[in-house]
Amino acid sequence: MTADERRASVLAVAVQEFARGGLAGTSTEVIAKRAGISQPYLFRLYPTKKDLFLTAVRDTFARTVRRFEQAAGELSGQPALTAIGLSYQELLRDRTYLLMQLQAYASCTDPDIRTATRTGFRDLWRAVERLSGVPSEALRGFFAHGMLMNVAAAMDLPSLSEEWARLVCLAAPSAED
Amino acid sequence: MTADERRASVLAVAVQEFARGGLAGTSTEVIAKRAGISQPYLFRLYPTKKDLFLTAVRDTFARTVRRFEQAAGELSGQPALTAIGLSYQELLRDRTYLLMQLQAYASCTDPDIRTATRTGFRDLWRAVERLSGVPSEALRGFFAHGMLMNVAAAMDLPSLSEEWARLVCLAAPSAED
DNA sequence: CAGCAAAGAGAGTGACTACTCACTTCATCA
DNA sequence: TGATGAAGTGAGTAGTCACTCTCTTTGCTG
């Protein structure tokens, strides 16, 4: 297996593990073990643990942009936004994505991570703006509800049957914005 | 100083440190040092580091509830919601609060932390519901924009002058919901 | 076949960290 | 006065973890 292929499979594992434990709460050893390589070799593929984390952050946002582009297809305007919203709901089924996103936000005290996270978020924002073309208030409403769904999914509210939890998790009314 | 007083001052430091580093990224030694006690004594005040973290999570949400109650005062309905929203914007000036909140969400993989975070969020939700009495869609819109402001503050977007960052940070239009 | 570069691992190392044990100081009160 | 109990600490301990040094294997090429 070439180094680049290894790097890709290590990254796939790293995203999952970092999503669960964050930068400080994840050891390079478990990433290496799950990726099927030795821990020293991990450090030849990625110079530092933080580098691997930064790559995971960038990858997470980049994947979402590509997903949104596919979801929008030839649509534009509110229909495009609705299609993107639906694809986001699908994305949240696997909690890895949103947890990784939250880890990125929560680690923004570190300047390097903050820069990477800002860039990822900005590109995502611009992608939705470009794909849908809706005005900025609608865009903000879209992202706001996305963030609420993130934390709701993080707390696993969809699995609760209590009244308040169901209210939090209802999809945003598409007519409002 | 009594043990209870010590516990309170340790908690104050712990909230700040956990907000920056999260559970795994914060050492009990720096908390003890900043609180002016020895590290062994910290473990007499709080049995484990995780216990201290859980207390910090609960405290963060509880403080917000009290703050919202004060902000709402005798108001109700949309005016109450607006007052609460303003007090939340004030609260976000100090990044400690929102970072601690994000750390709580990001640590929800742990069952104990998830339970504490759910409870805190639920009580906050119910408080705003009770204080304002607005319908659930408006409530959801309020929390959604709150979450967006959280992550925007985490990334320190308000300090950026770029167009997209300013758009993200605009306050939610109060008429929409 | 010789040589070379890349893939990969074994065995550390020094620093850190959650938590413990045994100890001291000191105010209170029978 | 002497005992009690609460506040508080010095000095560990066992374990973890990011990262390194050095070595082996393997596939390719001249």
Side-chain angles (χ1 to χ4, degrees), chain B:
Chain B
M1 206 185 253
T2 74
D4 275 347
E5 288 168 333
R6 278 288 188 213
R7 244 183 294 267
S9 59
V10 166
L11 179 59
V13 172
V15 168
Q16 292 187 19
E17 291 296 327
F18 281 138
R20 288 188 191 282
L23 174 57
T26 304
S27 79
T28 57
E29 200 185 345
V30 316
I31 297 176
K33 200 163 279 178
R34 277 199 48 198
I37 62 169
S38 69
Q39 192 241 24
Y41 190 45
L42 185 147
F43 283 92
R44 186 161 311 175
L45 300 174
Y46 292 93
T48 64
K49 180 164 99 153
K50 190 169 144 185
D51 260 299
L52 179 52
F53 186 80
L54 288 170
T55 308
V57 170
R58 295 193 189 100
D59 181 73
T60 298
F61 280 107
R63 263 177 211 280
T64 313
V65 168
R66 285 199 295 276
R67 202 175 175 120
F68 282 2
E69 284 167 347
Q70 288 184 343
E74 301 297 311
L75 301 170
S76 73
Q78 187 61 50
L81 203 59
T82 305
I84 292 172
L86 283 176
S87 84
Y88 195 69
Q89 275 187 284
E90 265 179 46
L91 187 59
L92 290 187
R93 293 256 181 83
D94 173 10
R95 317 235 317 294
T96 302
Y97 167 78
L98 81 286
L99 282 171
M100 187 68 228
Q101 217 184 309
L102 284 176
Q103 299 292 358
Y105 299 135
S107 308
C108 272
T109 306
D110 180 285
D112 299 328
I113 299 177
R114 182 167 59 233
T115 302
T117 306
R118 274 179 180 170
T119 305
F121 188 88
R122 182 200 62 192
D123 293 349
L124 193 60
W125 178 276
R126 285 185 179 160
V128 177
E129 189 176 36
R130 168 172 52 84
L131 292 167
S132 73
V134 299
S136 67
E137 312 92 61
L139 214 52
R140 204 164 52 241
F142 175 82
F143 273 86
H145 279 91
M147 294 302 144
L148 182 59
M149 287 169 65
N150 272 354
V151 304
M155 290 185 282
D156 206 15
L157 297 191
S159 79
L160 294 185
S161 58
E162 294 161 54
E163 172 77 2
W164 70 276
R166 284 192 295 112
L167 289 177
V168 176
C169 293
L170 284 180
S174 63
E176 102 172 334
D177 295 312

Side-chain angles (χ1 to χ4, degrees), chain A residues 18-78:
Chain A
F18 281 138
R20 289 190 191 281
L23 174 58
T26 305
S27 79
T28 56
E29 200 186 344
V30 316
I31 297 176
K33 200 162 282 176
R34 277 199 48 199
I37 62 168
S38 69
Q39 190 243 22
Y41 190 46
L42 185 147
F43 282 92
R44 186 160 310 177
L45 300 174
Y46 293 93
T48 64
K49 181 164 98 153
K50 192 168 142 185
D51 260 299
L52 179 53
F53 186 81
L54 287 170
T55 307
V57 170
R58 295 194 189 100
D59 181 73
T60 299
F61 281 107
R63 263 177 211 280
T64 313
V65 167
R66 286 199 294 275
R67 203 176 173 121
F68 282 3
E69 284 167 349
Q70 288 183 343
E74 301 296 312
L75 302 171
S76 73
Q78 188 61 49

Side-chain angles (χ1 to χ4, degrees), chain A residues 17-143:
Chain A
E17 291 297 327
F18 281 138
R20 289 190 191 281
L23 174 58
T26 305
S27 79
T28 56
E29 200 186 344
V30 316
I31 297 176
K33 200 162 282 176
R34 277 199 48 199
I37 62 168
S38 69
Q39 190 243 22
Y41 190 46
L42 185 147
F43 282 92
R44 186 160 310 177
L45 300 174
Y46 293 93
T48 64
K49 181 164 98 153
K50 192 168 142 185
D51 260 299
L52 179 53
F53 186 81
L54 287 170
T55 307
V57 170
R58 295 194 189 100
D59 181 73
T60 299
F61 281 107
R63 263 177 211 280
T64 313
V65 167
R66 286 199 294 275
R67 203 176 173 121
F68 282 3
E69 284 167 349
Q70 288 183 343
E74 301 296 312
L75 302 171
S76 73
Q78 188 61 49
L81 202 59
T82 305
I84 292 172
L86 284 175
S87 84
Y88 194 69
Q89 275 186 283
E90 265 177 47
L91 188 59
L92 290 187
R93 293 255 180 85
D94 173 10
R95 316 235 317 297
T96 301
Y97 167 77
L98 80 287
L99 281 171
M100 188 68 228
Q101 218 184 311
L102 283 177
Q103 299 292 359
Y105 299 136
S107 308
C108 272
T109 305
D110 179 284
D112 298 329
I113 299 178
R114 182 167 60 234
T115 301
T117 306
R118 275 179 180 170
T119 304
F121 188 89
R122 182 200 61 192
D123 293 348
L124 193 59
W125 179 276
R126 285 186 178 158
V128 178
E129 189 176 35
R130 169 173 51 87
L131 292 168
S132 74
V134 300
S136 67
E137 310 92 62
L139 213 52
R140 203 164 51 243
F142 175 82
F143 273 87

